[in-house]
Amino acid sequence: MTLEKRPSIQVISAHSGDFVWRAGGTLALYAERGYDVRIVCLSYGERGESQGLWKQDGMTLEGAKAGRRAEAEAAAEALGASITFLDLGDYPLRIDPEALDRIVAEMRAARPEVLLTHVASDPYNRDHNAAHEATLLARQVAQAAGHDRSTSPIGAPQVVQFEPHQPEQCGFVPNLLLDITSVFDRKRKAMECMGAQSHLVQYYTDLGLRRGVQAVRNGGAKTIVQAEAYQRVFPIVGSELR
């Protein structure tokens, strides 16, 4: 299977760590299935998502960016994905028309079957909201025949929202539990790359275990141990009620 013909999935991540915690297992799973897995980090999370780095003496904004980039690149490699950084800044994340065009260009280059991103409303972190809105808007523009005639419009990829840190406050109601048991070792390795937020490793390990239990209770194989939860934005199309 050539690179050009490989199916693709793409994640739009507000900060350089979000894709690891919320979707790392999924990305590793699809990489093993032969997909072209692409990550777009809108920011490094250098201001608000780098607690461990800012505890170091003499830390600077550029130093935090460099540290976060190195962590995210190592995590992406562990998952089998490619990664792009747009360096739009965080806290707050601001997405102007030029930045939106860059996201559209990434989508048209990837031509994803599925887009993964944040929930629409996270009251704890408005950067996540901005990333969600930018994903939907970029998807819309990337479908437009009259936009940038040097590239081709994309189709209508499904958008799935990954689980926020406090789902009850974000209106997150999962309608997909994905079994990541077979690749959890790769997700764990990727999480351990994120030294600036190392306190989250155990939290997301435990969350995956709880979602795994729920996956079994909802009819999944009894071999499921680890799972990730998602909420679809658009309806799925089929010929059966299931």
Side-chain angles (χ1 to χ4, degrees):
M1 188 181 295
T2 65
L3 180 63
E4 290 75 21
K5 293 182 180 179
R6 283 198 296 162
S8 173
I9 67 170
Q10 187 172 44
V11 56
I12 308 298
S13 183
H15 312 105
S16 63
D18 295 328
F19 72 90
V20 181
W21 316 116
R22 283 72 182 268
T26 301
L27 301 183
L29 185 66
Y30 273 80
E32 288 201 350
R33 291 175 178 174
Y35 275 65
D36 179 13
V37 179
R38 302 192 184 195
I39 301 161
V40 178
C41 290
L42 303 184
S43 80
Y44 293 110
E46 65 271 13
R47 293 187 179 90
E49 304 274 304
S50 304
Q51 298 91 322
L53 293 176
W54 286 108
K55 292 178 182 178
Q56 300 175 18
D57 291 340
M59 181 54 60
T60 65
L61 200 62
E62 289 307 312
K65 286 183 180 183
R68 290 293 276 173
R69 181 180 183 117
E71 290 179 356
E73 287 176 337
E77 182 177 3
L79 298 173
S82 64
I83 189 165
T84 299
F85 303 93
L86 300 192
D87 192 14
L88 302 180
D90 71 316
Y91 284 60
L93 170 63
R94 294 190 176 97
I95 301 171
D96 61 19
E98 180 182 358
L100 182 68
D101 283 344
R102 293 171 67 190
I103 300 169
V104 172
E106 292 292 335
M107 281 188 190
R108 284 198 166 185
R111 312 194 69 76
E113 291 186 355
V114 180
L115 286 161
L116 295 79
T117 195
H118 298 267
V119 294
S121 181
D122 185 341
Y124 297 101
N125 195 318
R126 311 306 281 181
D127 287 2
H128 296 166
N129 303 16
H132 174 94
E133 179 58 26
T135 299
L136 293 188
L137 183 54
R139 177 184 182 273
Q140 172 188 327
V141 175
Q143 292 175 301
H147 175 81
D148 183 10
R149 297 287 291 162
S150 68
T151 60
S152 300
I154 65 171
Q158 177 62 269
V159 178
V160 291
Q161 302 164 99
F162 42 61
E163 184 162 10
H165 194 67
Q166 297 193 49
E168 299 86 353
Q169 305 301 317
C170 300
F172 180 76
V173 182
N175 50 25
L176 171 62
L177 296 170
L178 190 68
D179 178 11
I180 62 164
T181 306
S182 64
V183 293
F184 181 72
D185 58 334
R186 294 180 64 178
K187 178 174 181 177
R188 178 82 188 199
K189 182 178 179 181
M191 291 195 296
E192 290 173 348
C193 293
M194 309 307 292
Q197 293 179 295
S198 58
H199 61 287
L200 293 176
V201 174
Q202 192 59 51
Y203 179 92
Y204 280 98
T205 298
D206 293 343
L207 177 61
L209 289 170
R210 291 196 297 275
R211 291 306 191 188
V213 170
Q214 293 166 5
V216 174
R217 287 181 60 85
N218 279 276
K222 295 187 184 301
T223 55
I224 297 175
V225 177
Q226 282 276 343
E228 289 174 342
Y230 292 96
Q231 183 176 356
R232 298 182 181 94
V233 172
F234 301 104
I236 58 172
V237 179
S239 59
E240 298 179 356
L241 287 172
R242 52 180 295 178

